[in-house]
Amino acid sequence: MVKRTSMDKAPCPIARSLDAIGDWWSLLIVREAFGNVRRFNEFQKRLGLAKNILAARLRDLVAEGILEMQPASDGSAYQEYVLTKKGRRLVTVMIALWQWGEENLFEPGEVPTRLLDKETRQPLRKLQLQTADGHPVRPSDIMIGAPAPVPELRARK
Amino acid sequence: MVKRTSMDKAPCPIARSLDAIGDWWSLLIVREAFGNVRRFNEFQKRLGLAKNILAARLRDLVAEGILEMQPASDGSAYQEYVLTKKGRRLVTVMIALWQWGEENLFEPGEVPTRLLDKETRQPLRKLQLQTADGHPVRPSDIMIGAPAPVPELRARK
DNA sequence: CCGTATCCATTCCGATACTG
DNA sequence: CAGTATCGGAATGGATACGG
């Protein structure tokens, strides 16, 4: 996506994820898609980005299998962009980003847009790391279980 | 960070988060920092990025308060980069990305680097969305609790 | 309404080369 | 070792203008 040294073959899931959705607009588009935005123009208005960029991003997201195109639900002749199952699974990433931003990037006076449980209208519980058997885990309790984070397979020509 | 229309004043936490760490290398650097990488050269070797880029990214991350510089622990004359508390809180974001990538971006035959609980050496439990009172939440059960996702119009009154 | 095609400015990345 | 100084190429992003 971003030229770089494309890490889509790296064994590190983070590198791959970033390769897939690590550019700036992708996750914002996904965020809107979660909010049931489906139409090109709707995305464009809400995000305020140029149409060519939006078109490119949507194309990429469709190619990645995160969005898919469907016939319009309102009978118009156009297509709509909706999240695939894979795309919907990004919800955890979004929430993680949301909660981190909420906690670390707002001044006392500022009010972030909140994310709520639809039923109770209460904020969600913060995501928590847990061991397989359900115990809490601190950042320092984590280790990487394989050779190298970013191997040199993508070394040099 | 990526020029754009800098959204660091947007009320949406995702936009702000992306503004802070949404570019390509930042999270990879943070990932290494979680793995106790602290030295300039160490980052450079492991990530394989150009030194000027690395320098710029490190500078930004320090400016954001995600990394901080400390005197070297081994007595050498240099500084080390270590995660701040704010930086360490990014662990949830990293895990979310890690788990999503692991689940969605690897072919059956491929083996991702795993992330383990240090004590048991078992993979972590998948992050789960929950309501404030601990019930599971599906993506469709979520709503946004404020005016507009990216409202420039509700700027300041 | 949904895009594609252009043009242009900015930024990013990679690869040296060069100091302290 | 830890950067800074450059340079060029690629890609991003913004703003229209133009077709389906």
Side-chain angles (χ1 to χ4, degrees):
Chain A
M1 176 155 288
V2 184
K3 220 351 264 339
R4 245 176 296 115
T5 330
S6 180
M7 303 239 179
D8 54 351
K9 287 289 176 277
C12 170
I14 293 190
R16 291 211 193 179
S17 293
L18 290 175
D19 221 38
I21 46 114
D23 77 288
W24 209 78
W25 290 111
S26 298
L27 267 182
L28 272 316
I29 291 172
V30 169
R31 181 197 68 184
E32 295 300 329
F34 267 106
N36 275 315
V37 171
R38 296 158 165 249
R39 303 293 280 262
F40 188 93
N41 239 13
E42 195 54 16
F43 283 111
Q44 209 247 316
K45 278 188 303 190
R46 300 180 76 103
L47 294 171
L49 80 177
K51 299 207 276 189
N52 49 356
I53 311 278
L54 176 59
R57 289 286 154 276
L58 288 173
R59 196 187 326 114
D60 291 346
L61 288 169
V62 168
E64 306 258 15
I66 290 170
L67 293 180
E68 63 186 345
M69 304 190 69
Q70 286 184 355
S73 51
D74 64 350
S76 67
Y78 308 107
Q79 300 274 96
E80 298 185 339
Y81 297 88
V82 297
L83 289 165
T84 61
K85 190 169 264 182
K86 177 173 171 181
R88 267 174 272 135
R89 291 199 200 102
L90 277 171
V91 69
T92 315
V93 172
M94 289 197 11
I95 306 297
L97 237 17
W98 196 297
Q99 293 182 341
W100 184 78
E102 207 166 9
E103 183 175 357
N104 299 282
L105 268 19
F106 283 78
E107 301 297 326
E110 299 181 299
V111 180
T113 52
R114 304 303 302 269
L115 202 58
L116 311 172
D117 167 35
K118 200 179 285 181
E119 200 172 350
T120 66
R121 299 207 141 215
Q122 296 297 306
L124 301 180
R125 171 176 294 192
K126 283 189 59 185
L127 292 171
Q128 288 166 357
L129 307 186
Q130 299 183 323
T131 57
D133 52 337
H135 292 79
V137 175
R138 285 165 307 150
S140 54
D141 294 335
I142 292 173
M143 60 171 292
I144 290 175
V150 176
E152 358 287 13
L153 115 173
R154 62 133 194 2
R156 301 241 347 168
K157 34 329 251 312
Chain B
M1 184 154 297
V2 189
K3 220 347 265 334
R4 252 175 291 113
T5 331
S6 178
M7 303 242 178
D8 54 349
K9 288 288 177 279
C12 170
I14 292 190
R16 290 211 193 179
S17 293
L18 290 174
D19 220 38
I21 44 110
D23 78 287
W24 211 77
W25 290 111
S26 299
L27 267 182
L28 272 318
I29 291 171
V30 169
R31 182 198 65 184
E32 296 300 328
F34 267 105
N36 276 313
V37 171
R38 296 157 166 250
R39 304 290 281 261
F40 189 92
N41 239 14
E42 200 46 22
F43 283 111
Q44 209 245 317
K45 278 189 302 190
R46 300 181 74 104
L47 294 171
L49 80 176
K51 300 208 279 186
N52 50 356
I53 310 279
L54 176 59
R57 288 288 154 274
L58 287 172
R59 198 187 323 114
D60 291 346
L61 287 169
V62 168
E64 307 257 15
I66 290 169
L67 293 179
E68 64 186 345
M69 304 189 70
Q70 285 185 356
S73 50
D74 64 352
S76 66
Y78 306 107
Q79 300 274 97
E80 299 185 339
Y81 297 89
V82 296
L83 288 166
T84 61
K85 190 168 263 183
K86 177 173 171 181
R88 266 173 274 134
R89 290 198 200 104
L90 277 170
V91 69
T92 316
V93 173
M94 288 197 12
I95 306 296
L97 236 17
W98 195 297
Q99 294 182 341
W100 184 78
E102 206 166 8
E103 183 176 355
N104 299 282
L105 267 20
F106 283 78
E107 301 297 327
E110 298 180 300
V111 181
T113 52
R114 304 303 301 270
L115 202 58
L116 310 172
D117 169 33
K118 199 179 288 181
E119 201 172 350
T120 67
R121 300 206 141 216
Q122 295 296 305
L124 302 180
R125 172 176 292 194
K126 284 189 57 184
L127 293 171
Q128 288 167 358
L129 307 185
Q130 298 182 322
T131 57
D133 51 339
H135 292 79
V137 175
R138 285 166 307 150
S140 54
D141 294 333
I142 292 173
M143 60 170 291
I144 290 173
V150 177
E152 11 237 329
L153 303 189
R154 40 108 79 216
R156 84 272 290 334
K157 48 279 305 311

